[in-house]
Amino acid sequence: MGNYIRFDWAMKRLLRNKANYSVLEGLLTTLLNENIKIKNLLESESNQEEEFDKYNRVDMLAENSRGELVLIEVQNNNEYAYFQRMLFGTSKLVTEYINRGDGYEKVRKVYSINIVYFSLGHGKDIVYHGKTEFRGIHENDILELAPFQKQTFNVDTVSQLYPEYYILKVNDFNKVATTPLEEWIYYLNTGNISDDAKAPGLDAVRKRLKVDNMSSSEKGAYYRHLDNIVILRDNIFTERAEGRAEGRVEGRAEGLVEGIEKGREKAIDDIVKKMKELGFSDEQIAQATEISCGS
């Protein structure tokens, strides 16, 4: 095993170089289970050079040999609305990459690949795939394309026309890699590759993404990036812990105040009841307790 440059850093600094496309192609080929060749890279948010962006998020938009768009995002920051962000990203691509006046048949297929280094939702798996299907509410059947549509659009199912989403929860992987996809997940999580890993693209990582091949200045920037990741995760953990602690304290305080208030109300009710039994008038009770009461 060797020490290789983390994928999130490589996405921003190295994988935009055409000579390194084989790394991305290997990941996409393994994930999508088909041979992917990147045709070219398109405009991306990754060009931002703000300090926070260096360790927060990286987007890359590629186009494969079939003209389909592939949006790859690496996210380190814990973003609670990340599911909505995924939807926004694909919707934006669909509308941006169709010329005004074109028919809807020109809408291009989009894959959204999301590599998240934080806990997103609740689930037991490490890789999730989402696609669109239309299912009958009475017959529970899946709506299919007509033969003419299959021939015209060169697809077999309705879901192939819609964006597809992949979520890789790399931090949740904690076992020995036994499949090509698990070998990739292990590298994405740790920055290391086992000696016997043979997944497409990992050999290119071994050759092109060694930490030892970086200059001293590049290493300095890279190690600061790693430090920022640790700080970011610590901050997220601290915020969660403080939030839980604050919630417990506030809950106890509110409970105490509520208990005192309820005790006070019960004591007054008992006094009012006793004064009525002793024959005091409502006016006398009101003057004594400073509350009004009915007869």
Side-chain angles (χ1 to χ4, degrees):
M1 298 175 63
N3 189 19
Y4 301 98
I5 300 170
R6 266 176 56 118
F7 187 79
D8 54 345
W9 177 267
M11 275 278 288
K12 186 165 186 70
R13 303 286 177 152
L14 302 171
L15 299 185
R16 315 191 72 76
N17 185 332
K18 192 171 184 178
N20 296 328
Y21 281 6
S22 55
V23 174
L24 287 176
E25 290 170 349
L27 171 60
L28 297 176
T29 295
T30 303
L31 181 63
L32 302 179
N33 200 28
E34 59 177 315
N35 189 33
I36 300 293
K37 291 293 183 183
I38 296 174
K39 185 175 180 181
N40 61 287
L41 300 180
L42 305 176
E43 184 178 354
S44 167
E45 294 180 56
S46 284
N47 296 326
Q48 299 175 15
E49 289 296 333
E50 295 160 1
E51 184 63 29
F52 184 72
D53 181 63
K54 290 180 182 178
Y55 60 91
N56 178 22
R57 77 183 192 197
V58 179
D59 295 335
M60 181 178 290
L61 178 62
E63 183 181 25
N64 66 19
S65 58
R66 297 189 302 277
E68 298 172 336
L69 300 176
V70 183
L71 175 65
I72 307 173
E73 175 160 328
V74 178
Q75 176 68 289
N76 280 301
N77 192 32
N78 190 348
E79 186 165 325
Y80 297 105
Y82 191 77
F83 288 111
Q84 294 92 321
R85 176 189 175 127
M86 290 163 48
L87 173 62
F88 176 80
T90 55
S91 302
K92 193 166 180 280
L93 288 186
V94 168
T95 55
E96 282 187 353
Y97 287 89
I98 184 171
N99 295 322
R100 185 182 296 274
D102 280 348
Y104 293 127
E105 70 276 5
K106 299 294 185 181
V107 170
R108 298 167 71 178
K109 173 77 173 186
V110 176
Y111 294 94
S112 175
I113 315 298
N114 301 272
I115 303 170
V116 296
Y117 287 85
F118 63 94
S119 180
L120 178 63
H122 291 282
K124 298 179 180 179
D125 213 317
I126 54 172
V127 179
Y128 288 87
H129 176 214
K131 60 183 180 179
T132 300
E133 291 181 338
F134 296 91
R135 188 175 293 273
I137 62 174
H138 298 105
E139 302 295 335
N140 199 38
D141 62 321
I142 295 178
L143 184 64
E144 298 182 355
L145 294 172
F148 172 75
Q149 291 173 312
K150 292 182 180 181
Q151 183 178 5
T152 302
F153 303 136
N154 194 28
V155 296
D156 296 319
T157 65
V158 174
S159 63
Q160 290 176 275
L161 300 174
Y162 283 80
E164 294 186 38
Y165 300 88
Y166 289 86
I167 298 174
L168 283 63
K169 301 176 63 176
V170 298
N171 281 358
D172 293 344
F173 185 73
N174 57 4
K175 62 180 183 178
V176 176
T178 58
T179 67
L181 183 54
E182 288 180 348
E183 290 173 352
W184 259 103
I185 298 294
Y186 178 74
Y187 163 62
L188 294 174
N189 183 16
T190 65
N192 293 313
I193 304 173
S194 63
D195 295 335
D196 56 351
K198 296 180 175 59
L202 291 183
D203 193 48
V205 173
R206 291 187 179 103
K207 294 176 181 177
R208 304 178 184 278
L209 301 185
K210 287 186 176 180
V211 172
D212 291 342
N213 292 341
M214 303 172 78
S215 67
S216 57
S217 61
E218 288 173 335
K219 283 183 180 179
Y222 177 61
Y223 290 136
R224 285 194 298 273
H225 167 78
L226 297 182
D227 290 340
N228 285 334
I229 294 297
V230 173
I231 293 171
L232 180 62
R233 290 180 182 174
D234 287 347
N235 287 343
I236 292 172
F237 178 81
T238 300
E239 288 172 3
R240 287 178 176 173
E242 290 178 348
R244 289 192 293 266
E246 183 177 348
R248 288 193 294 266
V249 170
E250 289 181 353
R252 287 195 295 267
E254 289 176 0
L256 179 60
V257 171
E258 184 177 354
I260 293 173
E261 185 63 27
K262 286 183 178 179
R264 177 178 177 274
E265 291 175 356
K266 185 178 185 306
I268 292 177
D269 289 342
D270 290 342
I271 292 172
V272 170
K273 183 178 179 181
K274 188 65 175 177
M275 292 182 72
K276 282 188 175 183
E277 290 176 354
L278 294 174
F280 287 90
S281 67
D282 290 342
E283 183 178 352
Q284 290 172 321
I285 293 174
Q287 289 177 349
T289 60
E290 297 184 349
I291 61 171
S292 60
C293 61
S295 58

